Amino acid sequence: MEKIQKIKGFADLLPEQSRVFQRLEDTARAVFGRYGYREARVPILERTELFSRSIGEETDVVQKEMYTFPDRKGRMLTMRPEATAGMVRAYVENGLHAQEELSKLFTYGPMFRYERPQKGRMRQFHQLDVEAFGSPSPLLDAEMLFMLHHFLTELGITELTFELNSLGCPKCRPDYQNALNEYFKGFDSGQLCEDCLRRKLTNPLRVLDCKVPSCKELTRGAPKITDYLCPDCAEHFSTVKSLLDRGGLDYTLNPRLVRGLDYYVRTTFEITSGNIGAQTAVAGGGRYDGLVRTLGGPDLPGVGFACGMERLALLMADPGPSAPDFHIVAMGADALDAGLLLAQELRAAGFGGECALAHKSTKSQMRGADKSQARFCLILGEAELAAGTVVVKNMRDASQATVPLAGVIDLLRL
Ligand code: HAM
């Protein structure tokens, strides 16, 4: 029969890769927990409108990259391309704002974007996503950046660049948009791509995020958002920067950093690495005051970020499997049965390991014990069965002793 293959841009995570992902998840839980973040889990499938309304109609994500389809009743649904929109929906729908002043949440799981697959860019990829709702304070932005730095350091990932920008607010953004309009007005179809010819009128900030080389080149001379910040936004940004300076977190200012999603205001950031190929961003985020209201909730601020787990995994080594406590070698049918039952007793006592399931030569079973890297190899033959004993071989120093079956647990505890 013909083999059925996985979909392009999707991947199987076999044990070696899963171990790296588990380490990412465990470290996230430990580090984020220290800052008061709690885990939440939200659906993968949401109504399409959730994303078009929050991420923005003019973004590449909404225009070109979403997996959208009607369900059996014709309702338009989308496989989430990111987690923020769903987290905001859950925050509003479950009335968390009525229960607590500040909600600090994180989640992780698969996201879906129909992009051209390449190293570090998948159609199904995974994010670790962090969101904090309820505080406009620049201290929260700084704390979040410190936490992200702490998390990456804990993973042993260094040589990263923290790029930082402020995108202003609905008060100062229109002035900047006018300045951009004015700047891009002079360029036509020879210089801007087709999308940007439209974007320069509908949402000129998106031109700054265009990946087409000729558009990128033109943005070099474009006005900078940081020259247009209103006093409140300027002060907010200056507090974030000053806290990062005082906390010793190095960053690079990038006034062209607009991010690929429309909901950002004020602080935005991206963490990049030069060691993972063309897709350099390992994490990105920022403030999104106004989004909770756009999605039908009260007018409460929010800030967050997401890390790309595949991209972090490219920067991490496989920690290797943890060594089992025992491996049982058994000769003869009765010994095989006894080995299985002994393994059950040991597992019930909290130890981990495997036992022989079918007859094989002693040599081949000993090779299996070596390969398993177990701390102890327990050998059961007819003689041991008759005497109610087992041979315990310490695989680290090759020492060996015959002990009564009942004494194995105490030996393993050593
Ligand atoms: P984003 O910048 O679109 O932000 O994605 C965050 C990270 O996800 C990227 O930096 C990258 O590491 C990873 N990523 C994105 N697309 C792919 C892909 N196709 N394959 C592999 N990795 C990918 C967001 O999604 C925002 N929701 C972040 C956020 C949270 N902002 C506020 N709260």
Side-chain angles (χ1 to χ4, degrees):
M1 291 262 259
E2 208 183 315
K3 274 189 286 189
I4 299 173
Q5 294 183 334
K6 61 181 180 306
I7 306 169
K8 184 175 171 190
F10 286 58
D12 300 312
L13 296 185
L14 296 177
E16 293 81 50
Q17 265 245 298
S18 280
R19 271 198 300 267
V20 179
F21 273 58
Q22 264 162 26
R23 178 150 174 246
L24 283 170
E25 292 155 8
D26 293 346
T27 310
R29 214 172 270 123
V31 174
F32 300 165
R34 275 191 242 169
Y35 292 77
Y37 285 82
R38 294 164 301 143
E39 187 174 337
R41 300 183 191 211
V42 293
I44 286 170
L45 208 54
E46 298 270 9
R47 290 174 196 277
T48 302
E49 193 194 349
L50 175 69
F51 302 111
S52 46
R53 217 201 287 174
S54 57
I55 296 173
E57 292 283 3
E58 267 301 335
T59 57
D60 278 352
V61 172
V62 169
Q63 292 229 326
K64 306 175 185 167
E65 297 171 2
M66 295 204 305
Y67 280 88
T68 295
F69 51 85
D71 73 2
R72 288 176 187 275
K73 291 223 167 119
R75 290 170 292 224
M76 292 313 285
L77 302 180
T78 294
M79 308 274 283
R80 62 179 182 192
E82 55 112 53
T84 310
M87 292 289 270
V88 174
R89 183 206 45 71
Y91 173 72
V92 172
E93 193 167 342
N94 296 289
L96 289 187
H97 49 84
Q99 297 161 33
E100 53 196 17
E101 206 180 306
L102 179 64
S103 297
K104 286 174 150 183
L105 304 171
F106 75 92
T107 193
Y108 59 85
M111 312 290 153
F112 304 83
R113 294 185 192 178
Y114 195 87
E115 294 189 85
R116 197 168 46 79
Q118 57 173 228
K119 184 178 174 190
R121 191 165 68 193
M122 304 292 295
R123 290 183 174 168
Q124 176 180 317
F125 61 99
H126 297 76
Q127 283 186 347
L128 271 165
D129 179 87
V130 171
E131 313 291 353
F133 302 103
S135 168
S137 169
L139 275 69
L140 180 60
D141 306 32
E143 184 188 63
M144 192 172 269
L145 279 157
F146 284 132
M147 180 174 87
L148 176 53
H149 182 263
H150 183 166
F151 170 62
L152 295 165
T153 308
E154 196 90 0
L155 293 171
I157 301 177
T158 50
E159 293 185 44
L160 296 169
T161 306
F162 277 61
E163 293 185 27
L164 190 65
N165 193 20
S166 172
L167 286 182
C169 68
K171 246 194 295 170
C172 49
R173 181 93 56 85
D175 282 348
Y176 178 60
Q177 275 173 326
N178 287 339
L180 274 184
N181 261 325
E182 200 52 41
Y183 174 77
F184 287 124
K185 210 157 71 185
F187 302 112
D188 56 23
S189 53
Q191 294 139 311
L192 285 169
C193 75
E194 219 166 276
D195 283 340
C196 285
L197 285 175
R198 193 186 63 248
R199 288 173 183 145
K200 75 173 180 178
L201 304 170
T202 53
N203 190 348
L205 242 75
R206 291 267 68 86
V207 181
L208 298 182
D209 198 39
C210 184
K211 306 288 179 290
V212 174
S214 54
C215 298
K216 255 185 158 166
E217 187 57 39
L218 283 189
T219 61
R220 278 185 216 279
K224 291 179 185 164
I225 177 90
T226 34
D227 293 335
Y228 289 80
L229 297 181
C230 63
D232 287 349
C233 286
E235 192 188 327
H236 195 276
F237 194 35
S238 137
T239 309
V240 175
K241 287 186 291 183
S242 142
L243 285 164
L244 297 183
D245 290 338
R246 287 155 67 194
L249 198 162
D250 282 339
Y251 58 87
T252 307
L253 292 176
N254 178 359
R256 303 272 177 268
L257 179 69
V258 291
R259 310 270 301 124
L261 313 153
D262 271 354
Y263 46 64
Y264 293 111
V265 295
R266 294 193 165 172
T267 319
T268 49
F269 52 88
E270 219 156 78
I271 320 306
T272 55
S273 161
N275 301 326
I276 50 170
Q279 296 306 314
T280 56
V282 298
R287 189 161 269 289
Y288 49 79
D289 307 347
L291 180 59
V292 175
R293 199 161 77 116
T294 301
L295 291 178
D299 192 8
L300 288 172
V303 54
F305 69 82
C307 300
M309 295 175 74
E310 281 77 3
R311 296 192 191 167
L312 291 181
L314 286 173
L315 295 164
M316 289 163 61
D318 173 9
S322 52
D325 300 302
F326 65 85
H327 187 94
I328 299 180
V329 166
M331 271 79 67
D334 291 344
L336 280 167
D337 290 355
L340 182 93
L341 298 173
L342 174 61
Q344 277 313 98
E345 261 180 60
L346 298 178
R347 291 170 187 146
F351 298 107
E354 291 182 78
C355 59
L357 297 173
H359 181 70
K360 281 190 196 148
S361 71
T362 313
K363 200 167 149 197
S364 143
Q365 289 196 49
M366 288 309 291
R367 261 204 308 272
D370 267 338
K371 201 165 157 217
S372 77
Q373 302 199 333
R375 287 194 298 132
F376 291 99
C377 174
L378 311 180
I379 306 162
L380 277 170
E382 272 168 27
E384 286 77 25
L385 262 195
T389 59
V390 58
V391 176
V392 179
K393 180 171 175 191
N394 182 330
M395 301 297 274
R396 301 287 177 263
D397 62 12
S399 64
Q400 186 165 310
T402 301
V403 299
L405 271 171
V408 177
I409 289 183
D410 286 340
L411 229 163
L412 258 57
R413 282 219 172 90
L414 289 180

